[in-house]
Amino acid sequence: MCDPAVGKPSSSIQMNIVNSVKYDYIIIGAGLVGLSVAYQLKLKKRSAKVLVIEKESTVAQHQSGHNSGVIHSGIYYKPGSLKAQNCIAGYKSLLEFAKEYGVPFDICGKIIVATKEQEIDRLHSIYERGIANGLTGVKYISKEEIKEIEPHCAGIKALHVPQTGIIDYPAMALTLLDLYHKLDGESRFGESVIKVESKSDTNEVVTTAGSYTTKKLVSCAGLFSDRIANYTETENDLRIIPFRGEYYELKKEKQYLVKNLIYPVPDPNLPFLGVHFTRMIGGGVEAGPNAVLAFKREGYKFSDFNARDSWETLSWPGFWKVMGKYGKTSIGEIHRSLSKSAFTKALQVLVPEITEADMVKGGAGVRAQACHRDGSLVDDFKILNKGSIIHVLNSPSPAATSSLAIGRYILNEID
């Protein structure tokens, strides 16, 4: 990933740069997508000289490690989209990888619950997408059958999705790094990318600690994907708008209220799935997330602020068009962020017995939402192939589930 303070290197940084080290491939970012690319590159090309550059001290420090740990089935995604294709393919690869290398996971299934009559048609649309994407075993369940699976859940009809599961994604990332190193892959942690320059037959990547040249470059920079792309793409029409998702956790004595995963029927007019309940692979139950504009790209607290990050959001024409469309919803999300009572009320739609006293503040994640200048939000994965450089410009959920498939897709694109 790139540095929040991307810009021209200072004179002190320039003094630390040594003669450029040459590589066949460089990957920017040690999240799940970047590590998947690096590992599969070394599997395919054992003699290739490959380097992973990461500004943090270890792997999966942002989106890959700040998510709910869900293995997505692919039921939501438009058939034929990159999300659908890579989620379905990635799901199988993920399970095979986890079994082979001992990454903790559990295919526990989930229910998508309609609580109002007007949600039934939307539930049917989700079912049709799942069938079109090749899912088997997905079925409608009645109000009574909901109670058999989740005794404390309220709903009039639901979909049971048996393929959905939970996994330890940080453990998967560490496993990928270890396997990559065993194949003699190289990595540099604690180095922020401050410049990328594309030349006729090579690409130069300058960091806060050194300079590296490479024949092929893959940028998997997540929350800073647009900034890295802007080094080489002068007409990049995407800006990353960060949205923080905040969670509560159920107190231990109340975790019996949720057995596995309970999701609402998502509003197709909104870019997020809505608050839900997720059993975690390490124990416990998360409730959330909301979706609040973050004023820092890695801002996991409401008070976190970064002037440059905020300016880039607020000065982007597309942001104001998004606010014009979703402004009322955004106000409600902020209210839920500040009010535990409001957050609880949203959760009670699915599990009426939940009270404020049953929950404690949990963690948070920040989603990199790519937004065009015209205000349209990028829903699908977006991977820009410029020959010797590939920019992963948009890789939101289900990127973690899809990471091994995305890695293979990029390998096919880069050669």
Side-chain angles (χ1 to χ4, degrees):
M1 292 185 180
C2 70
D3 181 40
V6 172
K8 294 182 179 179
S10 66
S11 57
S12 61
I13 292 174
Q14 289 178 6
M15 290 173 62
N16 292 328
I17 293 176
V18 296
N19 290 333
S20 187
V21 183
K22 296 181 179 179
Y23 289 88
D24 297 309
Y25 302 89
I26 289 178
I27 294 89
I28 300 173
L32 283 166
V33 173
L35 291 169
S36 172
V37 174
Y39 168 57
Q40 292 182 96
L41 257 175
K42 287 299 294 181
L43 276 179
K44 184 178 180 181
K45 302 186 176 188
R46 298 295 178 94
S47 63
K49 192 174 175 62
V50 182
L51 173 67
V52 172
I53 300 174
E54 168 59 51
K55 72 182 181 64
E56 303 294 353
S57 61
T58 188
V59 299
Q61 290 300 286
H62 297 291
Q63 291 183 112
S64 293
H66 284 262
N67 59 56
S68 56
V70 173
I71 302 173
H72 288 282
S73 65
I75 194 167
Y76 294 113
Y77 314 121
K78 182 179 178 181
S81 65
L82 284 179
K83 275 189 177 183
Q85 293 175 37
N86 285 281
C87 187
I88 301 302
Y91 179 95
K92 180 180 179 181
S93 298
L94 178 66
L95 298 191
E96 291 172 349
F97 183 92
K99 289 174 185 176
E100 182 173 358
Y101 296 107
V103 178
F105 77 99
D106 181 11
I107 303 302
C108 56
K110 80 172 180 181
I111 55 174
I112 306 171
V113 183
T115 58
K116 297 177 289 189
E117 286 290 341
Q118 54 265 44
E119 293 177 338
I120 300 297
D121 285 345
R122 302 209 303 261
L123 196 67
H124 184 61
S125 296
I126 294 170
Y127 174 81
E128 288 184 326
R129 281 193 170 188
I131 298 304
N133 286 333
L135 272 66
T136 58
V138 178
K139 64 178 182 179
Y140 291 106
I141 57 176
S142 66
K143 182 177 181 179
E144 292 72 28
E145 290 171 316
I146 291 172
K147 292 293 185 183
E148 293 175 8
I149 297 173
E150 292 287 353
H152 303 277
C153 177
I156 58 174
K157 194 172 185 178
L159 286 178
H160 180 241
V161 187
Q163 291 90 346
T164 304
I166 52 177
I167 191 170
D168 188 338
Y169 281 125
M172 178 183 172
L174 287 169
T175 301
L176 282 168
L177 180 68
D178 181 57
L179 293 169
Y180 167 71
H181 282 162
K182 286 178 178 178
L183 294 170
D184 297 322
E186 298 181 41
S187 58
R188 299 285 187 275
F189 287 89
E191 295 191 25
S192 297
V193 173
I194 55 177
K195 180 182 179 182
V196 177
E197 185 175 359
S198 181
K199 301 177 181 178
S200 58
D201 58 349
T202 190
N203 301 289
E204 183 181 22
V205 180
V206 181
T207 76
T208 48
S211 174
Y212 312 94
T213 58
T214 180
K215 298 175 183 176
K216 301 289 180 70
L217 173 66
V218 182
S219 173
C220 306
L223 284 156
F224 296 96
S225 62
D226 56 341
R227 290 192 191 170
I228 292 293
N230 287 341
Y231 283 128
T232 61
E233 305 304 316
T234 56
E235 297 183 3
N236 177 29
D237 185 48
L238 289 181
R239 179 71 52 87
I240 293 298
I241 308 296
F243 285 90
R244 184 175 57 259
E246 300 159 330
Y247 291 87
Y248 280 91
E249 293 182 14
L250 297 190
K251 291 180 178 179
K252 188 173 183 179
E253 62 270 23
K254 291 294 184 176
Q255 289 172 10
Y256 71 89
L257 292 172
V258 177
K259 287 190 172 182
N260 290 301
L261 284 72
I262 307 173
Y263 277 63
V265 177
D267 185 339
N269 296 315
L270 299 176
F272 307 111
L273 291 178
V275 293
H276 49 268
F277 294 91
T278 307
R279 179 167 63 84
M280 296 179 288
I281 195 67
V285 176
E286 281 187 334
N290 56 3
V292 182
L293 178 67
F295 289 96
K296 183 179 181 181
R297 293 201 184 193
E298 294 167 358
Y300 299 106
K301 297 183 294 185
F302 191 90
S303 59
D304 285 343
F305 176 81
N306 177 276
R308 180 176 180 183
D309 293 351
S310 298
W311 171 250
E312 287 188 348
T313 293
L314 298 175
S315 64
W316 186 242
F319 167 74
W320 294 106
K321 293 176 181 179
V322 170
M323 287 299 100
K325 185 176 182 180
Y326 300 113
K328 185 177 179 180
T329 300
S330 297
I331 292 171
E333 294 293 314
I334 293 171
H335 180 50
R336 281 211 294 255
S337 177
L338 297 172
S339 169
K340 187 178 182 181
S341 174
F343 206 110
T344 304
K345 186 175 180 180
L347 294 168
Q348 287 172 336
V349 174
L350 292 172
V351 180
E353 294 172 57
I354 291 285
T355 68
E356 288 186 55
D358 297 335
M359 302 186 300
V360 295
K361 199 74 173 176
V366 181
R367 168 177 169 150
Q369 176 61 63
C371 175
H372 284 290
R373 185 177 293 273
D374 65 5
S376 57
L377 299 178
V378 183
D379 179 61
D380 203 1
F381 297 152
K382 188 171 181 63
I383 300 171
L384 179 65
N385 186 348
K386 301 298 287 187
S388 66
I389 300 179
I390 288 184
H391 292 289
V392 180
L393 292 172
N394 193 53
S395 57
S397 179
T401 302
S402 310
S403 56
L404 292 169
I406 295 173
R408 291 194 297 271
Y409 177 90
I410 289 173
L411 259 61
N412 290 332
E413 289 285 301
I414 203 168
D415 289 321

